[in-house]
Amino acid sequence: MSLKFTAGDLTIQRIIEQETTFLPAHDMLPGLTPELLAENRAWMKKAKALDDADTLILCFQSYIVTTPHHTVLIDSCIGNDKPRPGRPNWNMKTDETYMRALAAAGFSVGDIDYVMCTHLHVDHVGWNTRLDNGRWVPTFPKARYVFGKTEYNYWTEQNAKAEVPPFADSVLPIVEAKKADIVSSDHAIGDHVRLLPTPGHTPGHVAFTFGRSGKEDAVFTGDLMHTPLQTLYPELSPRFDVDQALAAKTRRSFLERFCDTNTICCTAHFPSPSSGKIRRKGNAFTCEMI
Ligand SMILES: [Zn+2]
């Protein structure tokens, strides 16, 4: 399994926390008809994206990108000690998988310069914080944490109506510790890293492009898509996309933008190896895994 690869002058490493069955395909993708699933079952199973019971298999991971200037961690996964009663696999877990994977990749928490979140859902912010004597403290002590402003404002509003636990235990403590950079959607870090607005899954969802002087060596998709089935059928939106119609539009235009380029597309949730190049197939796309 490929955990480390290069793109231009970047080194990219995957830090996997879980790779497992998630939700039944029909449940997660309301637009998926039995006929469509039947047509695609064989290749989806071969890609280890679907099990024998038609349950989708997802990877939950962070990416660490080493540029000539910085070490950047993208999406901080699920985390430990967090009350997530709706998800038994994530609830109050105490395993060392994530920290071991970080060490195996050659990093300590002090090596990370930036933590960047594509959006503020539970499985993308978890390791932002860790429990220390009953308090949530930043896991990566030297890092600036980059959150998109539209996304941050959206969850601030939601959290004011009713507490959103991942926002309260994994985002607000970072802001309180004065480690957060809440940035606009045209933000860039040096000449290497740029935000690319990709709204729909959440209102302020962003992808990140990495590369120098207009060259895009890699792009990190976050949750603008969850399963390779959506490259072939970009109009299939999961039921938890906040705006399913906008998410579908964003997905197709994103895939069109990167289709037949050299940019490595690093997805958050596709099964291992999770990353590849977007190629045209008929009126849609495939992701040719690296
Ligand atoms: Zn996710």
Side-chain angles (χ1 to χ4, degrees):
M1 186 197 301
S2 156
L3 292 173
K4 181 175 183 176
F5 49 96
T6 58
D9 54 8
L10 312 169
T11 302
I12 302 171
Q13 300 194 67
R14 300 167 57 219
I15 309 296
I16 299 174
E17 189 165 20
Q18 295 182 356
E19 183 159 9
T20 183
T21 48
F22 188 58
L23 286 173
H26 286 303
D27 181 14
M28 182 159 140
L29 301 164
L32 180 64
T33 61
E35 295 74 25
L36 201 61
L37 182 58
E39 271 174 48
N40 292 280
R41 189 177 279 116
W43 74 263
M44 281 285 287
K45 283 175 74 167
K46 202 169 156 224
K48 300 214 173 0
L50 192 73
D51 77 355
D52 290 336
D54 289 341
T55 300
L56 291 167
I57 298 167
L58 268 59
C59 191
F60 296 89
Q61 63 194 318
S62 299
Y63 286 90
I64 296 181
V65 189
T66 311
T67 79
H69 309 293
H70 298 116
T71 302
V72 182
L73 184 139
I74 295 170
D75 284 346
S76 66
C77 250
I78 298 158
N80 274 4
D81 302 306
K82 309 223 153 154
R84 308 290 186 240
R87 295 237 180 266
N89 282 352
W90 301 352
N91 190 37
M92 299 302 286
K93 71 184 195 59
T94 55
D95 63 280
E96 286 166 21
T97 307
Y98 189 86
M99 283 300 165
R100 268 203 209 119
L102 194 73
F107 296 101
S108 76
V109 290
D111 292 332
I112 306 300
D113 300 311
Y114 290 98
V115 175
M116 300 179 69
C117 297
T118 56
H119 64 300
L120 301 181
H121 269 160
V122 53
D123 54 320
H124 296 259
V125 298
W127 281 104
N128 281 1
T129 58
R130 63 178 177 85
L131 199 56
D132 179 39
N133 281 320
R135 288 181 55 237
W136 296 111
V137 301
T139 303
F140 305 98
K142 293 183 185 160
R144 297 299 302 173
Y145 286 70
V146 178
F147 307 134
K149 191 182 204 142
T150 308
E151 184 74 0
Y152 181 78
N153 289 348
Y154 172 74
W155 290 107
T156 300
E157 256 172 53
Q158 300 299 310
N159 192 54
K161 289 182 222 161
E163 192 186 69
V164 179
F167 187 73
D169 61 38
S170 305
V171 177
L172 288 181
I174 299 298
V175 177
E176 280 151 20
K178 303 201 185 327
K179 299 277 190 186
D181 293 334
I182 296 166
V183 304
S184 60
S185 56
D186 58 356
H187 185 74
I189 298 172
D191 58 355
H192 258 92
V193 190
R194 268 185 180 69
L195 271 65
L196 176 66
T198 43
H201 177 63
T202 58
H205 188 284
V206 290
F208 302 122
T209 64
F210 279 66
R212 241 191 326 203
S213 40
K215 204 166 140 271
E216 293 170 323
D217 293 317
V219 62
F220 296 84
T221 69
D223 282 8
L224 72 89
M225 48 192 179
H226 289 78
T227 165
L229 193 58
Q230 291 171 289
T231 62
L232 212 45
Y233 304 94
E235 282 66 39
L236 281 180
S237 287
R239 62 174 162 81
F240 40 72
D241 281 356
V242 172
D243 184 334
Q244 294 184 19
L246 179 61
K249 203 171 149 228
T250 290
R251 202 173 298 118
R252 184 170 275 281
S253 67
F254 176 92
L255 290 164
E256 190 66 57
R257 175 181 169 152
F258 291 101
C259 180
D260 295 331
T261 69
N262 258 332
T263 309
I264 297 183
C265 179
C266 305
T267 74
H269 294 308
F270 284 17
S272 287
S274 310
S275 304
K277 293 184 181 176
I278 305 301
R279 297 290 175 250
R280 194 171 306 281
K281 187 169 185 191
N283 183 34
F285 311 90
T286 59
C287 185
E288 273 181 17
M289 293 295 167
I290 53 170

